[in-house]
Amino acid sequence: MSLREFDTHLVSSMIALAGAGLQNQLPADFERCAQRLHDIRRSGGHAQMQRALHELRGLALAVGADQLADLCAGIENHSMNTELCTHLAEASTALATSIRSLRAATS
Amino acid sequence: MTPRAPAPQPPELLLIEDTPSLQMLYRAVLNKAGYRVICAESGATGRAKFDIHRPPVVVLDLMLPDMDGMTLIDDMLANAPKTRIIVITADGTVDRAIDATRKGAYDFLVKPLGDMRLVTAVSAAMTEYRAQARYSGTLGGELPDLGKAFFSGPSDSVAKLLKEIGAVARSCVPLVILGERGCGKRAVAELVHQHSARAAKPFVAVDCAMQTGPALEEALFGTEASPQAHPRLGALARAHGGTLLIAQPEAMEPALQLRLLAALQSGLVATGQGGASSACDVRLICATRQHPAADMQAGRLTEEFYYQCCVIPLHVPPLAARRDDIVPLALNLVAALARAEGKHFSRISDAGAEKLRTRPWPGNLRELINVLRHAVILHDGPELGVAMLPDCPALTEATPTAQTLEEAMKGLSMAEIERRAFLAALMRHDGSVPRAARELDIAPSTLYRRRDVLAQFTQ
């Protein structure tokens, strides 16, 4: 499984249960997390980064994007450094890809 | 026209989750299960809605944007102690979830949440809340007499323990009680049970070190009817709805640990191959002398059992670490023991108090009770004097050094040497016949037949 993959059956059943509102809200939440991670790369501190990664991890786990969730978990416990910034960039890119896939799967 | 009774209100709960899509998802799952869900997206909003609605159950994400979920737990339980709080956590924060349970949270769920797991946890929390409301007369009040007797006194360690007992009693999470032999681990388990919403249901205890193999399996799971014997209900079935204390779980065979785990997870217990199943909704409490992580590393506990059943550790201090408690504790106990013997003891002399305070107490509360019982039986009150308190003959008899062994045996009959060896081995193994027998390299049945030794040990 790659960073951008998620469980389409799981997401479909979630949307069937919660309705169309969730179909819009899930991609919006992923996009908001991506934006926060971009902002943190420029100006954020460690605590903000941890919080953003934690939220992204919760979302990734919910849609079955296990690899993305694992990467978030791995980065959450690092201190702010250049290596971390590289990981963050990878996570942000993977996140954008996941969101695009999610839109395609749920629309 | 007969007035129609108002439709019953669906049970209400508060969901505090800051990620909108997850909040939407959890609410949908809970709505479908028949709950009315009040939602909050931050700690402050959650706190305000909690004050307005006072829901019986709160589902709380520990990581909130404006507030630490731990603070919120403290705050809500301080205002409404009977609230059942279920915390949600991502897997990396399980340690925090355990801390939350120590603070009094009822259960914790690890993301991703399966629909069934969420609904089951909420349903159990609702049931326990209602049960607690029914038995409110026994909850939130004074600790039961046993707890008062064993865990009274001014020491900080006992105050901390009692606070933890109050907190974990609200939860359904498996506990492991750690402490030296005779320090009151069973009494702590009974206190947790008596302080929980399961108080009106049975408390059943099984000591895994007191029996082995098929006997232990039968004690836990029972037996089916056969031409030779009536069916026997096992501890799991007898504890249904209540609490099951498993003492020294590391003495269980690994296969039996897994069978016990499967029964606890499925909520069903089968007596044997193809036998009928019965319900076993039990709260599991384990009691042991050393941390179960060491037993897992040594291969005595399976990883599965350790991670599922040894979730929250509760440390019971040894008596030697509670020296300030010993005299008030002894006073309560000697009065109670004297009443049982038709005597009256109401005070302890200064010298007697000093001797009690300074004794090493390797046998802890069990040893204290034995010492006081000895004094009460042989002497009259009302004052417990220093001359009434025996020294530690059992200990000095039981653990002679290699240098003194020959000296200690001088003049003793073979039967007496054997009796002392059995007794010493039993003491070293906290009353476990199989372990003592293993050390002595004899069959457990040999030791079981020595009723005189067993009786002396349990006195």
Side-chain angles (χ1 to χ4, degrees), chain B residues 280-308:
Chain B
C280 71
D281 163 28
V282 301
R283 191 217 185 142
L284 182 70
I285 300 181
C286 292
T288 187
R289 285 165 64 179
Q290 67 170 352
H291 198 287
D295 287 313
M296 184 184 67
Q297 280 163 1
R300 289 184 290 269
L301 269 187
T302 62
E303 283 190 20
E304 292 87 345
F305 191 89
Y306 173 76
Y307 286 114
Q308 292 289 326

PDB file of all heavy atoms in Angstrom, chain B residues 280-308:
ATOM      1  N   CYS B 280     -20.798 -14.618  30.051  1.00  0.00           N
ATOM      2  CA  CYS B 280     -19.847 -14.238  31.099  1.00  0.00           C
ATOM      3  C   CYS B 280     -19.389 -12.799  30.880  1.00  0.00           C
ATOM      4  O   CYS B 280     -18.333 -12.535  30.331  1.00  0.00           O
ATOM      5  CB  CYS B 280     -18.668 -15.207  31.198  1.00  0.00           C
ATOM      6  SG  CYS B 280     -17.501 -15.138  29.860  1.00  0.00           S
ATOM      7  N   ASP B 281     -20.225 -11.887  31.307  1.00  0.00           N
ATOM      8  CA  ASP B 281     -19.855 -10.474  31.268  1.00  0.00           C
ATOM      9  C   ASP B 281     -19.165 -10.184  32.594  1.00  0.00           C
ATOM     10  O   ASP B 281     -19.817  -9.991  33.612  1.00  0.00           O
ATOM     11  CB  ASP B 281     -21.121  -9.624  31.101  1.00  0.00           C
ATOM     12  CG  ASP B 281     -20.876  -8.174  31.456  1.00  0.00           C
ATOM     13  OD1 ASP B 281     -19.723  -7.722  31.298  1.00  0.00           O
ATOM     14  OD2 ASP B 281     -21.823  -7.502  31.896  1.00  0.00           O
ATOM     15  N   VAL B 282     -17.833 -10.222  32.601  1.00  0.00           N
ATOM     16  CA  VAL B 282     -17.113 -10.007  33.862  1.00  0.00           C
ATOM     17  C   VAL B 282     -16.077  -8.903  33.698  1.00  0.00           C
ATOM     18  O   VAL B 282     -15.534  -8.697  32.615  1.00  0.00           O
ATOM     19  CB  VAL B 282     -16.406 -11.279  34.381  1.00  0.00           C
ATOM     20  CG1 VAL B 282     -17.385 -12.398  34.614  1.00  0.00           C
ATOM     21  CG2 VAL B 282     -15.305 -11.727  33.447  1.00  0.00           C
ATOM     22  N   ARG B 283     -15.822  -8.222  34.801  1.00  0.00           N
ATOM     23  CA  ARG B 283     -14.676  -7.319  34.825  1.00  0.00           C
ATOM     24  C   ARG B 283     -13.515  -8.104  35.419  1.00  0.00           C
ATOM     25  O   ARG B 283     -13.635  -8.671  36.511  1.00  0.00           O
ATOM     26  CB  ARG B 283     -14.962  -6.114  35.716  1.00  0.00           C
ATOM     27  CG  ARG B 283     -13.884  -5.059  35.514  1.00  0.00           C
ATOM     28  CD  ARG B 283     -13.482  -4.317  36.724  1.00  0.00           C
ATOM     29  NE  ARG B 283     -12.539  -3.272  36.318  1.00  0.00           N
ATOM     30  CZ  ARG B 283     -12.501  -2.076  36.829  1.00  0.00           C
ATOM     31  NH1 ARG B 283     -13.337  -1.738  37.766  1.00  0.00           N
ATOM     32  NH2 ARG B 283     -11.622  -1.200  36.400  1.00  0.00           N
ATOM     33  N   LEU B 284     -12.420  -8.143  34.688  1.00  0.00           N
ATOM     34  CA  LEU B 284     -11.283  -8.939  35.131  1.00  0.00           C
ATOM     35  C   LEU B 284     -10.313  -8.087  35.939  1.00  0.00           C
ATOM     36  O   LEU B 284      -9.942  -6.979  35.536  1.00  0.00           O
ATOM     37  CB  LEU B 284     -10.551  -9.525  33.923  1.00  0.00           C
ATOM     38  CG  LEU B 284      -9.368 -10.417  34.276  1.00  0.00           C
ATOM     39  CD1 LEU B 284      -9.842 -11.716  34.898  1.00  0.00           C
ATOM     40  CD2 LEU B 284      -8.515 -10.705  33.059  1.00  0.00           C
ATOM     41  N   ILE B 285      -9.913  -8.626  37.086  1.00  0.00           N
ATOM     42  CA  ILE B 285      -8.846  -8.011  37.874  1.00  0.00           C
ATOM     43  C   ILE B 285      -7.811  -9.104  38.127  1.00  0.00           C
ATOM     44  O   ILE B 285      -8.159 -10.196  38.574  1.00  0.00           O
ATOM     45  CB  ILE B 285      -9.366  -7.466  39.212  1.00  0.00           C
ATOM     46  CG1 ILE B 285     -10.442  -6.392  38.976  1.00  0.00           C
ATOM     47  CG2 ILE B 285      -8.222  -6.879  40.036  1.00  0.00           C
ATOM     48  CD1 ILE B 285     -11.006  -5.785  40.259  1.00  0.00           C
ATOM     49  N   CYS B 286      -6.562  -8.823  37.806  1.00  0.00           N
ATOM     50  CA  CYS B 286      -5.482  -9.767  38.108  1.00  0.00           C
ATOM     51  C   CYS B 286      -4.718  -9.257  39.325  1.00  0.00           C
ATOM     52  O   CYS B 286      -4.657  -8.046  39.558  1.00  0.00           O
ATOM     53  CB  CYS B 286      -4.528  -9.903  36.926  1.00  0.00           C
ATOM     54  SG  CYS B 286      -5.279 -10.703  35.501  1.00  0.00           S
ATOM     55  N   ALA B 287      -4.173 -10.161  40.090  1.00  0.00           N
ATOM     56  CA  ALA B 287      -3.351  -9.774  41.243  1.00  0.00           C
ATOM     57  C   ALA B 287      -2.075 -10.593  41.205  1.00  0.00           C
ATOM     58  O   ALA B 287      -2.115 -11.808  40.988  1.00  0.00           O
ATOM     59  CB  ALA B 287      -4.104 -10.035  42.541  1.00  0.00           C
ATOM     60  N   THR B 288      -0.972  -9.924  41.386  1.00  0.00           N
ATOM     61  CA  THR B 288       0.295 -10.629  41.301  1.00  0.00           C
ATOM     62  C   THR B 288       1.370  -9.876  42.076  1.00  0.00           C
ATOM     63  O   THR B 288       1.178  -8.715  42.435  1.00  0.00           O
ATOM     64  CB  THR B 288       0.692 -10.844  39.819  1.00  0.00           C
ATOM     65  OG1 THR B 288       1.842 -11.658  39.761  1.00  0.00           O
ATOM     66  CG2 THR B 288       0.955  -9.538  39.110  1.00  0.00           C
ATOM     67  N   ARG B 289       2.495 -10.567  42.344  1.00  0.00           N
ATOM     68  CA  ARG B 289       3.522  -9.951  43.192  1.00  0.00           C
ATOM     69  C   ARG B 289       4.509  -9.115  42.408  1.00  0.00           C
ATOM     70  O   ARG B 289       5.041  -8.143  42.907  1.00  0.00           O
ATOM     71  CB  ARG B 289       4.260 -11.032  43.983  1.00  0.00           C
ATOM     72  CG  ARG B 289       3.420 -11.546  45.121  1.00  0.00           C
ATOM     73  CD  ARG B 289       3.962 -12.829  45.683  1.00  0.00           C
ATOM     74  NE  ARG B 289       5.274 -12.637  46.275  1.00  0.00           N
ATOM     75  CZ  ARG B 289       5.962 -13.624  46.851  1.00  0.00           C
ATOM     76  NH1 ARG B 289       5.452 -14.826  46.904  1.00  0.00           N
ATOM     77  NH2 ARG B 289       7.138 -13.388  47.378  1.00  0.00           N
ATOM     78  N   GLN B 290       4.808  -9.515  41.195  1.00  0.00           N
ATOM     79  CA  GLN B 290       5.741  -8.705  40.410  1.00  0.00           C
ATOM     80  C   GLN B 290       5.037  -8.204  39.152  1.00  0.00           C
ATOM     81  O   GLN B 290       4.004  -8.748  38.766  1.00  0.00           O
ATOM     82  CB  GLN B 290       6.987  -9.495  40.047  1.00  0.00           C
ATOM     83  CG  GLN B 290       6.739 -10.645  39.088  1.00  0.00           C
ATOM     84  CD  GLN B 290       8.052 -11.232  38.582  1.00  0.00           C
ATOM     85  OE1 GLN B 290       9.117 -10.696  38.823  1.00  0.00           O
ATOM     86  NE2 GLN B 290       7.957 -12.331  37.872  1.00  0.00           N
ATOM     87  N   HIS B 291       5.606  -7.177  38.544  1.00  0.00           N
ATOM     88  CA  HIS B 291       4.939  -6.590  37.383  1.00  0.00           C
ATOM     89  C   HIS B 291       4.795  -7.645  36.285  1.00  0.00           C
ATOM     90  O   HIS B 291       5.749  -8.355  35.958  1.00  0.00           O
ATOM     91  CB  HIS B 291       5.736  -5.393  36.862  1.00  0.00           C
ATOM     92  CG  HIS B 291       4.890  -4.512  35.982  1.00  0.00           C
ATOM     93  ND1 HIS B 291       4.516  -4.884  34.715  1.00  0.00           N
ATOM     94  CD2 HIS B 291       4.298  -3.316  36.218  1.00  0.00           C
ATOM     95  CE1 HIS B 291       3.756  -3.938  34.186  1.00  0.00           C
ATOM     96  NE2 HIS B 291       3.596  -2.971  35.088  1.00  0.00           N
ATOM     97  N   PRO B 292       3.590  -7.759  35.699  1.00  0.00           N
ATOM     98  CA  PRO B 292       3.377  -8.820  34.701  1.00  0.00           C
ATOM     99  C   PRO B 292       4.245  -8.662  33.463  1.00  0.00           C
ATOM    100  O   PRO B 292       4.420  -9.630  32.727  1.00  0.00           O
ATOM    101  CB  PRO B 292       1.886  -8.698  34.360  1.00  0.00           C
ATOM    102  CG  PRO B 292       1.446  -7.402  34.914  1.00  0.00           C
ATOM    103  CD  PRO B 292       2.359  -7.029  36.011  1.00  0.00           C
ATOM    104  N   ALA B 293       4.812  -7.477  33.237  1.00  0.00           N
ATOM    105  CA  ALA B 293       5.703  -7.323  32.080  1.00  0.00           C
ATOM    106  C   ALA B 293       6.901  -8.269  32.225  1.00  0.00           C
ATOM    107  O   ALA B 293       7.376  -8.845  31.235  1.00  0.00           O
ATOM    108  CB  ALA B 293       6.172  -5.884  31.972  1.00  0.00           C
ATOM    109  N   ALA B 294       7.365  -8.431  33.468  1.00  0.00           N
ATOM    110  CA  ALA B 294       8.493  -9.341  33.698  1.00  0.00           C
ATOM    111  C   ALA B 294       8.078 -10.781  33.405  1.00  0.00           C
ATOM    112  O   ALA B 294       8.868 -11.569  32.855  1.00  0.00           O
ATOM    113  CB  ALA B 294       8.979  -9.215  35.145  1.00  0.00           C
ATOM    114  N   ASP B 295       6.848 -11.138  33.768  1.00  0.00           N
ATOM    115  CA  ASP B 295       6.359 -12.495  33.484  1.00  0.00           C
ATOM    116  C   ASP B 295       6.196 -12.713  31.986  1.00  0.00           C
ATOM    117  O   ASP B 295       6.400 -13.821  31.492  1.00  0.00           O
ATOM    118  CB  ASP B 295       5.028 -12.739  34.204  1.00  0.00           C
ATOM    119  CG  ASP B 295       5.228 -12.910  35.698  1.00  0.00           C
ATOM    120  OD1 ASP B 295       6.133 -13.673  36.080  1.00  0.00           O
ATOM    121  OD2 ASP B 295       4.501 -12.269  36.477  1.00  0.00           O
ATOM    122  N   MET B 296       5.798 -11.646  31.292  1.00  0.00           N
ATOM    123  CA  MET B 296       5.670 -11.777  29.834  1.00  0.00           C
ATOM    124  C   MET B 296       7.055 -11.997  29.216  1.00  0.00           C
ATOM    125  O   MET B 296       7.237 -12.867  28.371  1.00  0.00           O
ATOM    126  CB  MET B 296       5.021 -10.527  29.240  1.00  0.00           C
ATOM    127  CG  MET B 296       4.784 -10.636  27.745  1.00  0.00           C
ATOM    128  SD  MET B 296       4.136  -9.140  27.025  1.00  0.00           S
ATOM    129  CE  MET B 296       5.505  -8.016  27.203  1.00  0.00           C
ATOM    130  N   GLN B 297       8.028 -11.204  29.676  1.00  0.00           N
ATOM    131  CA  GLN B 297       9.380 -11.348  29.128  1.00  0.00           C
ATOM    132  C   GLN B 297       9.955 -12.733  29.423  1.00  0.00           C
ATOM    133  O   GLN B 297      10.696 -13.296  28.622  1.00  0.00           O
ATOM    134  CB  GLN B 297      10.291 -10.262  29.703  1.00  0.00           C
ATOM    135  CG  GLN B 297      10.094  -8.931  28.988  1.00  0.00           C
ATOM    136  CD  GLN B 297      10.647  -7.767  29.769  1.00  0.00           C
ATOM    137  OE1 GLN B 297      11.205  -7.944  30.841  1.00  0.00           O
ATOM    138  NE2 GLN B 297      10.459  -6.559  29.238  1.00  0.00           N
ATOM    139  N   ALA B 298       9.572 -13.280  30.575  1.00  0.00           N
ATOM    140  CA  ALA B 298      10.079 -14.598  30.951  1.00  0.00           C
ATOM    141  C   ALA B 298       9.269 -15.724  30.300  1.00  0.00           C
ATOM    142  O   ALA B 298       9.564 -16.897  30.516  1.00  0.00           O
ATOM    143  CB  ALA B 298      10.052 -14.751  32.464  1.00  0.00           C
ATOM    144  N   GLY B 299       8.232 -15.361  29.554  1.00  0.00           N
ATOM    145  CA  GLY B 299       7.444 -16.367  28.846  1.00  0.00           C
ATOM    146  C   GLY B 299       6.358 -17.007  29.683  1.00  0.00           C
ATOM    147  O   GLY B 299       5.708 -17.941  29.242  1.00  0.00           O
ATOM    148  N   ARG B 300       6.143 -16.505  30.906  1.00  0.00           N
ATOM    149  CA  ARG B 300       5.093 -17.093  31.745  1.00  0.00           C
ATOM    150  C   ARG B 300       3.718 -16.545  31.384  1.00  0.00           C
ATOM    151  O   ARG B 300       2.713 -17.224  31.547  1.00  0.00           O
ATOM    152  CB  ARG B 300       5.392 -16.838  33.229  1.00  0.00           C
ATOM    153  CG  ARG B 300       6.554 -17.651  33.757  1.00  0.00           C
ATOM    154  CD  ARG B 300       6.750 -17.436  35.244  1.00  0.00           C
ATOM    155  NE  ARG B 300       7.254 -16.117  35.544  1.00  0.00           N
ATOM    156  CZ  ARG B 300       8.542 -15.803  35.629  1.00  0.00           C
ATOM    157  NH1 ARG B 300       9.455 -16.718  35.430  1.00  0.00           N
ATOM    158  NH2 ARG B 300       8.913 -14.562  35.895  1.00  0.00           N
ATOM    159  N   LEU B 301       3.675 -15.308  30.929  1.00  0.00           N
ATOM    160  CA  LEU B 301       2.404 -14.726  30.480  1.00  0.00           C
ATOM    161  C   LEU B 301       2.474 -14.543  28.972  1.00  0.00           C
ATOM    162  O   LEU B 301       3.485 -14.055  28.456  1.00  0.00           O
ATOM    163  CB  LEU B 301       2.189 -13.349  31.112  1.00  0.00           C
ATOM    164  CG  LEU B 301       1.455 -13.235  32.436  1.00  0.00           C
ATOM    165  CD1 LEU B 301       1.214 -11.774  32.759  1.00  0.00           C
ATOM    166  CD2 LEU B 301       0.136 -13.984  32.456  1.00  0.00           C
ATOM    167  N   THR B 302       1.396 -14.886  28.274  1.00  0.00           N
ATOM    168  CA  THR B 302       1.401 -14.660  26.829  1.00  0.00           C
ATOM    169  C   THR B 302       1.252 -13.164  26.570  1.00  0.00           C
ATOM    170  O   THR B 302       0.677 -12.432  27.381  1.00  0.00           O
ATOM    171  CB  THR B 302       0.224 -15.391  26.150  1.00  0.00           C
ATOM    172  OG1 THR B 302      -0.991 -14.860  26.670  1.00  0.00           O
ATOM    173  CG2 THR B 302       0.284 -16.891  26.395  1.00  0.00           C
ATOM    174  N   GLU B 303       1.779 -12.730  25.436  1.00  0.00           N
ATOM    175  CA  GLU B 303       1.651 -11.312  25.068  1.00  0.00           C
ATOM    176  C   GLU B 303       0.185 -10.924  24.983  1.00  0.00           C
ATOM    177  O   GLU B 303      -0.202  -9.834  25.393  1.00  0.00           O
ATOM    178  CB  GLU B 303       2.321 -11.062  23.714  1.00  0.00           C
ATOM    179  CG  GLU B 303       3.826 -11.004  23.800  1.00  0.00           C
ATOM    180  CD  GLU B 303       4.437 -10.528  22.497  1.00  0.00           C
ATOM    181  OE1 GLU B 303       3.738  -9.916  21.690  1.00  0.00           O
ATOM    182  OE2 GLU B 303       5.630 -10.787  22.311  1.00  0.00           O
ATOM    183  N   GLU B 304      -0.619 -11.817  24.417  1.00  0.00           N
ATOM    184  CA  GLU B 304      -2.039 -11.523  24.247  1.00  0.00           C
ATOM    185  C   GLU B 304      -2.689 -11.239  25.602  1.00  0.00           C
ATOM    186  O   GLU B 304      -3.423 -10.264  25.771  1.00  0.00           O
ATOM    187  CB  GLU B 304      -2.774 -12.696  23.571  1.00  0.00           C
ATOM    188  CG  GLU B 304      -2.380 -12.933  22.128  1.00  0.00           C
ATOM    189  CD  GLU B 304      -1.167 -13.838  22.004  1.00  0.00           C
ATOM    190  OE1 GLU B 304      -0.462 -14.063  23.009  1.00  0.00           O
ATOM    191  OE2 GLU B 304      -0.903 -14.305  20.881  1.00  0.00           O
ATOM    192  N   PHE B 305      -2.404 -12.101  26.567  1.00  0.00           N
ATOM    193  CA  PHE B 305      -3.013 -11.938  27.891  1.00  0.00           C
ATOM    194  C   PHE B 305      -2.505 -10.646  28.538  1.00  0.00           C
ATOM    195  O   PHE B 305      -3.280  -9.879  29.116  1.00  0.00           O
ATOM    196  CB  PHE B 305      -2.680 -13.145  28.774  1.00  0.00           C
ATOM    197  CG  PHE B 305      -3.473 -13.181  30.044  1.00  0.00           C
ATOM    198  CD1 PHE B 305      -4.707 -13.807  30.092  1.00  0.00           C
ATOM    199  CD2 PHE B 305      -3.007 -12.564  31.196  1.00  0.00           C
ATOM    200  CE1 PHE B 305      -5.456 -13.831  31.256  1.00  0.00           C
ATOM    201  CE2 PHE B 305      -3.751 -12.573  32.362  1.00  0.00           C
ATOM    202  CZ  PHE B 305      -4.972 -13.211  32.390  1.00  0.00           C
ATOM    203  N   TYR B 306      -1.216 -10.409  28.411  1.00  0.00           N
ATOM    204  CA  TYR B 306      -0.629  -9.220  29.039  1.00  0.00           C
ATOM    205  C   TYR B 306      -1.269  -7.942  28.491  1.00  0.00           C
ATOM    206  O   TYR B 306      -1.707  -7.072  29.251  1.00  0.00           O
ATOM    207  CB  TYR B 306       0.882  -9.200  28.806  1.00  0.00           C
ATOM    208  CG  TYR B 306       1.529  -7.922  29.268  1.00  0.00           C
ATOM    209  CD1 TYR B 306       1.739  -7.679  30.614  1.00  0.00           C
ATOM    210  CD2 TYR B 306       1.909  -6.942  28.359  1.00  0.00           C
ATOM    211  CE1 TYR B 306       2.320  -6.497  31.046  1.00  0.00           C
ATOM    212  CE2 TYR B 306       2.490  -5.763  28.779  1.00  0.00           C
ATOM    213  CZ  TYR B 306       2.695  -5.547  30.121  1.00  0.00           C
ATOM    214  OH  TYR B 306       3.244  -4.372  30.547  1.00  0.00           O
ATOM    215  N   TYR B 307      -1.326  -7.850  27.164  1.00  0.00           N
ATOM    216  CA  TYR B 307      -1.809  -6.591  26.582  1.00  0.00           C
ATOM    217  C   TYR B 307      -3.313  -6.411  26.757  1.00  0.00           C
ATOM    218  O   TYR B 307      -3.819  -5.293  26.802  1.00  0.00           O
ATOM    219  CB  TYR B 307      -1.415  -6.490  25.109  1.00  0.00           C
ATOM    220  CG  TYR B 307       0.066  -6.194  24.951  1.00  0.00           C
ATOM    221  CD1 TYR B 307       0.930  -7.100  24.379  1.00  0.00           C
ATOM    222  CD2 TYR B 307       0.597  -4.997  25.430  1.00  0.00           C
ATOM    223  CE1 TYR B 307       2.283  -6.833  24.272  1.00  0.00           C
ATOM    224  CE2 TYR B 307       1.947  -4.728  25.324  1.00  0.00           C
ATOM    225  CZ  TYR B 307       2.795  -5.640  24.746  1.00  0.00           C
ATOM    226  OH  TYR B 307       4.113  -5.368  24.650  1.00  0.00           O
ATOM    227  N   GLN B 308      -4.066  -7.498  26.844  1.00  0.00           N
ATOM    228  CA  GLN B 308      -5.516  -7.378  26.990  1.00  0.00           C
ATOM    229  C   GLN B 308      -5.951  -7.270  28.450  1.00  0.00           C
ATOM    230  O   GLN B 308      -6.945  -6.613  28.742  1.00  0.00           O
ATOM    231  CB  GLN B 308      -6.222  -8.605  26.374  1.00  0.00           C
ATOM    232  CG  GLN B 308      -6.103  -8.693  24.869  1.00  0.00           C
ATOM    233  CD  GLN B 308      -6.923  -7.632  24.157  1.00  0.00           C
ATOM    234  OE1 GLN B 308      -7.991  -7.252  24.621  1.00  0.00           O
ATOM    235  NE2 GLN B 308      -6.410  -7.130  23.060  1.00  0.00           N
TER     236      GLN B 308
END
